[in-house]
Amino acid sequence: QPVVTQPPSTSGTPGQRVTMSCSGSWSNIGTNRVSWYQHLPGTAPKLLIYSNTERPSGVPDRFSGSKSGTSASLAISGLQSDDEADYFCAVFDDSLNGPLFGGGTKLTVL
Amino acid sequence: EVQLVESGGGWVQPGGSLRLSCVGSGFRFDNYAMHWVRQVPGKGLEWVAGISWTGKSIDYGGFLIGRFTVSRDNAKSSLFLQMNRLTVEDTALYFCVKDSGDSKAASNHFDLWGQGTQVTVSS
């Protein structure tokens, strides 16, 4: 069964730059486009990055995405306290013939 | 306001049924594919089902084995999920999600989510 793996947690201080990873395989990240979402429990998840690197209108340029091989990353620069949330990646998996989600990374702003 | 609002969740005994609903507003509902995604406690997100803009193309996550049925009513900007023979493993927060395209495709992404409706299966 294909999986996409994210570290369960990360942290940073205000103003710092943090990155979080999303690791998969050739049937998903290696072939298809990755998107990233921000989720505050009790609210609707919000699209941050699509097509590996693209930002929807309204998303600050502090958020950026990248992809290399079978891994993708989300970077947040100029960390702010209200960035504290869960972040998850999503990608289409060819063997599943459907979307696959990472387990999410909980970001704590110290 | 552009939003998705789910309803219909609740508590049900194993073997029971529930019907979830989702109403979209602020966008052309009938132009886009729609999905149900669930968040199981202690686990990540899991894609449940997707339906194309016309409703003619439907796909389900491999774990369902025919227990769930997704449908839509474009005239009412509504998405539905009929869930039968529920098990404790179906306990989750169920999200209604808008696709960026008109049908499921590898190049698409999810650009609008609802807040979710909680389904609890327990005896």
Side-chain angles (χ1 to χ4, degrees):
Chain A
Q1 191 81 341
V3 294
V4 173
T5 303
Q6 295 183 252
S9 64
T10 191
S11 63
T13 56
Q16 194 176 13
R17 181 178 186 269
V18 297
T19 61
M20 55 192 80
S21 63
C22 175
S23 179
S25 63
W26 286 109
S27 68
N28 43 69
I29 295 178
T31 305
N32 298 310
R33 304 173 190 182
V34 178
S35 52
W36 289 90
Y37 304 84
Q38 179 190 60
H39 186 210
L40 285 156
T43 70
K46 173 187 174 183
L47 175 67
L48 288 178
I49 298 289
Y50 67 97
S51 294
N52 305 323
T53 60
E54 301 300 308
R55 270 188 316 276
S57 62
V59 174
D61 60 5
R62 301 188 297 108
F63 295 89
S64 62
S66 63
K67 190 182 97 167
S68 178
T70 59
S71 291
S73 291
L74 174 71
I76 308 173
S77 60
L79 200 61
Q80 300 176 0
S81 58
D82 58 4
D83 294 332
E84 189 163 284
D86 296 322
Y87 293 84
F88 60 90
C89 58
V91 62
F92 192 92
D93 186 276
D94 291 343
S95 60
L96 282 180
N97 192 29
L100 192 59
F101 295 92
T105 297
K106 181 176 180 57
L107 171 64
T108 301
V109 180
L110 301 170
Chain B
E1 183 182 1
V2 178
Q3 62 178 358
L4 295 167
V5 179
E6 304 98 335
S7 61
W11 174 83
V12 62
Q13 291 186 324
S17 298
L18 275 178
R19 179 176 168 85
L20 306 184
S21 300
C22 168
V23 177
S25 59
F27 65 97
R28 280 291 305 272
F29 186 86
D30 58 358
N31 277 3
Y32 299 97
M34 297 294 297
H35 304 264
W36 288 100
V37 173
R38 69 184 186 182
Q39 185 173 37
V40 178
K43 296 175 64 176
L45 291 158
E46 187 171 45
W47 177 67
V48 175
I51 184 169
S52 66
W53 65 291
T54 61
K56 292 182 179 179
S57 178
I58 292 174
D59 295 279
Y60 297 97
F63 61 91
L64 287 179
I65 319 175
R67 296 184 298 119
F68 293 6
T69 302
V70 63
S71 60
R72 65 191 295 162
D73 182 345
N74 286 339
K76 298 182 179 179
S77 298
S78 295
L79 177 72
F80 305 100
L81 185 67
Q82 177 67 44
M83 304 187 296
N84 299 326
R85 304 196 307 278
L86 284 160
T87 73
V88 294
E89 287 75 29
D90 295 316
T91 294
L93 183 63
Y94 285 74
F95 294 101
C96 172
V97 187
K98 174 184 169 292
D99 198 299
S100 60
D102 59 16
S103 57
K104 186 190 71 172
S107 57
N108 294 351
H109 52 276
F110 302 127
D111 58 7
L112 183 66
W113 296 64
Q115 292 191 8
T117 186
Q118 179 67 41
V119 171
T120 302
V121 185
S122 171
S123 55

